[in-house]
Amino acid sequence: MEDRKKATIVDVARQAGVSVATVSRVVNGNYPVKLETKERVQKVIRALRYVPNVQARELNTRQSSTLGVVVPGLHNMFFAEVIDGIEEAVRQDGFSLLLNCAKNDPQQEMSGIQALVSRNVSGIIIISPNMAGIRESFYAELARRIPLVFINGYHHIPDVSYVTNDEQRGTQQALDYLERLGHQRILFVRGEHSDSYTIKEEVYRRDRERHGGLDSRFLLNIGEGNGLETADSAMQQLLRVIPDLDPTAIFCCNDLMAVGAVNACKRLGRRVPADISDGSEYVSAGKQCGIAAHRADPGRLQQAHCAGKCTRRAGVGGESPFLLTHTDAGGPVISRQALRRLYKRGILWYADCI
C-alpha cells in the first residue's frame, strides 16, 4: 500500500491561494476571515484531509493543551470514573488528557511523571499517589515548575493541591451502618501498597477495640488491590476464610474486592445480603452484582471535576494550592467560606456543596 504524504498547512495555503496565516485563522477561528475565503480554505482542508499540528501550534504559543494524569491501575472502576470526570471538566476548556499507569509502583509513578513533563503537559493530576514510597523532594521540586494535584491522597508538600475524601469518616460511617444492622463479626478486606487501605484499617481497628476487642483473624490482606487478578484473588482467599471465621458482614476497600466477596459467598451458598452483608466502599460494582453496599464516597466525580479545574486554573492564572475534602455525612471538611472563595475564583465549579 502506497504511503500517502500527510498534508501540511503550507499545502492547504498553496492550493487555496491564500497565506499560511489565513489558513491558521480559519483553523483556529481567532481572527475574522471573509466568508468566501473561509469556505474555500475549508473545502481544501477537507479535500486534503488536513489535520492541524497541535504540537507545532503549542510551540508557537508556548502553551500546551494537554494535561497529564497518573493512575495506579486501569482495572479499578473508581479510577475509571475519576478519569472520566477529569476529562469532562477539562474538555470544556479545550484540553485533552495524556494517561500514564503506575502499576502501584512508586518508582514507576515518578518515571511516568517525568515522561509527562518531557511532553510539556500544562499540569499533572496524580490519582491515589503512592504515599508510602513517596519522595517528597521529587514532588516539591516538580510542583515549583508545573501545577500538581493529588486526588485521594494527602501528604503535605508545598505548592501541591489536594482533592480528597475524609476516608476515616467515611469508613466509620460504613462500619456504623453494619453495626446498626446488628453485625459484630465484620471481616475487613484490603489490598497492599495503598495509603487509602491503611487509613481504613486504622479506623476498623479502633472501631473493633471499642466493640469488644480486635480479632486480627478478621483482617484480610489479599495483596494486589487494583489489578486484573484482584477480584479472583479476593474470592479464592475468602473461600478459605469465610467457613472458618463465619463472618456476618464483610467490609471491602474497593469494588474489585467486593466482586470477589460476592462471588465467594455465592460459591459457598451464602445469600447476600440475607445471610451475609457485603459493604463495599463504593457502589458501582455493587450495582452490577446486586449487593447491598453502603456508599462511603459520594464525591468521586466532584473530586475529578475539581481537580481538572484546579489544574487548568493553576496553569493559566497561577492559583495557590488548596485542600478540598469531602465526606457524605458532614459535607466538606473545609469551611463554607473557603468553598465560596474557591467557587468565585472558578476553581470549584459545582455549587451543590456550598
Side-chain angles (χ1 to χ4, degrees), residues 99-170:
L99 188 64
N100 197 297
C101 184
K103 303 289 186 182
N104 284 315
D105 184 331
Q107 290 302 318
Q108 193 162 328
E109 181 177 300
M110 289 188 287
S111 297
I113 291 169
Q114 289 170 330
L116 292 172
V117 172
S118 70
R119 292 179 180 272
N120 195 39
V121 295
S122 282
I124 297 176
I125 299 171
I126 307 174
I127 304 173
S128 293
N130 196 308
M131 310 309 287
I134 202 165
R135 266 179 45 198
E136 184 172 332
S137 59
F138 171 82
Y139 291 99
E141 194 278 329
L142 178 66
R144 287 193 289 268
R145 296 188 289 126
I146 188 170
L148 190 61
V149 178
F150 284 177
I151 293 183
N152 205 35
Y154 181 74
H155 182 91
H156 179 68
I157 300 173
D159 300 317
V160 175
S161 293
Y162 304 85
V163 182
T164 186
N165 290 321
D166 188 339
E167 298 195 80
Q168 292 185 351
R169 201 166 183 178

Side-chain angles (χ1 to χ4, degrees), residues 8-31 33 37-38 40-42 44-45 48 50 52 57:
T8 67
I9 193 171
V10 175
D11 297 328
V12 174
R14 184 184 300 115
Q15 189 161 325
V18 298
S19 67
V20 170
T22 299
V23 177
S24 178
R25 289 169 182 170
V26 172
V27 170
N28 297 320
N30 52 356
Y31 287 99
V33 178
T37 303
K38 181 178 180 180
R40 186 166 75 251
V41 171
Q42 289 175 335
V44 173
I45 287 174
L48 297 180
Y50 168 69
R57 184 169 59 199

Side-chain angles (χ1 to χ4, degrees), residues 20-313:
V20 170
T22 299
V23 177
S24 178
R25 289 169 182 170
V26 172
V27 170
N28 297 320
N30 52 356
Y31 287 99
V33 178
K34 286 171 52 176
L35 181 59
E36 179 186 351
T37 303
K38 181 178 180 180
E39 290 177 346
R40 186 166 75 251
V41 171
Q42 289 175 335
K43 183 178 179 181
V44 173
I45 287 174
R46 289 192 296 271
L48 297 180
R49 297 181 183 177
Y50 168 69
V51 178
N53 189 325
V54 176
Q55 289 180 323
R57 184 169 59 199
E58 290 176 352
L59 283 173
N60 289 330
T61 61
R62 295 185 179 180
Q63 272 193 331
S64 171
S65 59
T66 303
L67 295 176
V69 177
V70 180
V71 64
L74 299 176
H75 302 293
N76 189 327
M77 285 168 278
F78 168 78
F79 301 138
E81 289 193 37
V82 171
I83 292 169
D84 185 60
I86 294 171
E87 195 279 332
E88 180 181 332
V90 302
R91 186 184 345 116
Q92 299 177 21
D93 289 323
F95 276 65
S96 60
L97 299 182
L98 190 59
L99 188 64
N100 197 297
C101 184
K103 303 289 186 182
N104 284 315
D105 184 331
Q107 290 302 318
Q108 193 162 328
E109 181 177 300
M110 289 188 287
S111 297
I113 291 169
Q114 289 170 330
L116 292 172
V117 172
S118 70
R119 292 179 180 272
N120 195 39
V121 295
S122 282
I124 297 176
I125 299 171
I126 307 174
I127 304 173
S128 293
N130 196 308
M131 310 309 287
I134 202 165
R135 266 179 45 198
E136 184 172 332
S137 59
F138 171 82
Y139 291 99
E141 194 278 329
L142 178 66
R144 287 193 289 268
R145 296 188 289 126
I146 188 170
L148 190 61
V149 178
F150 284 177
I151 293 183
N152 205 35
Y154 181 74
H155 182 91
H156 179 68
I157 300 173
D159 300 317
V160 175
S161 293
Y162 304 85
V163 182
T164 186
N165 290 321
D166 188 339
E167 298 195 80
Q168 292 185 351
R169 201 166 183 178
T171 301
Q172 189 61 62
Q173 287 169 345
L175 293 171
D176 290 345
Y177 170 78
L178 293 173
E179 288 156 6
R180 284 197 301 272
L181 296 177
H183 297 291
Q184 287 301 316
R185 299 177 65 81
I186 302 172
L187 180 62
F188 182 90
V189 182
R190 62 162 293 171
E192 61 185 1
H193 302 314
S194 173
D195 188 57
S196 174
Y197 304 154
T198 300
I199 291 172
K200 295 179 180 69
E201 181 179 327
E202 290 171 352
V203 175
Y204 173 83
R205 286 176 175 273
R206 290 196 298 269
D207 180 85
R208 295 293 82 199
E209 291 292 350
R210 289 196 303 271
H211 290 83
L214 172 69
D215 186 341
S216 59
R217 296 177 302 160
F218 280 75
L219 285 167
L220 179 62
N221 188 328
I222 64 165
E224 173 56 53
N226 291 310
L228 190 61
E229 71 277 17
T230 297
D232 186 63
S233 175
M235 180 189 72
Q236 295 297 337
Q237 295 187 53
L238 286 167
L239 285 173
R240 295 192 299 269
V241 170
I242 291 174
D244 291 337
L245 298 180
D246 194 28
T248 61
I250 303 175
F251 180 100
C252 300
C253 284
N254 68 24
D255 288 341
L256 295 173
M257 299 173 200
V259 170
V262 170
N263 290 339
C265 290
K266 285 182 177 179
R267 291 201 179 191
L268 292 169
R270 309 274 182 117
R271 295 170 299 165
V272 178
D275 298 325
I276 189 166
S277 290
D278 185 294
S280 167
E281 186 204 358
Y282 311 119
V283 295
S284 56
K287 291 176 182 175
Q288 295 177 26
C289 299
I291 66 175
H294 178 72
R295 185 166 189 165
D297 177 23
R300 67 176 84 179
L301 289 180
Q302 287 96 327
Q303 277 188 322
H305 287 164
C306 191
K309 205 71 174 177
C310 167
T311 311
R312 169 74 178 112
R313 291 285 176 175

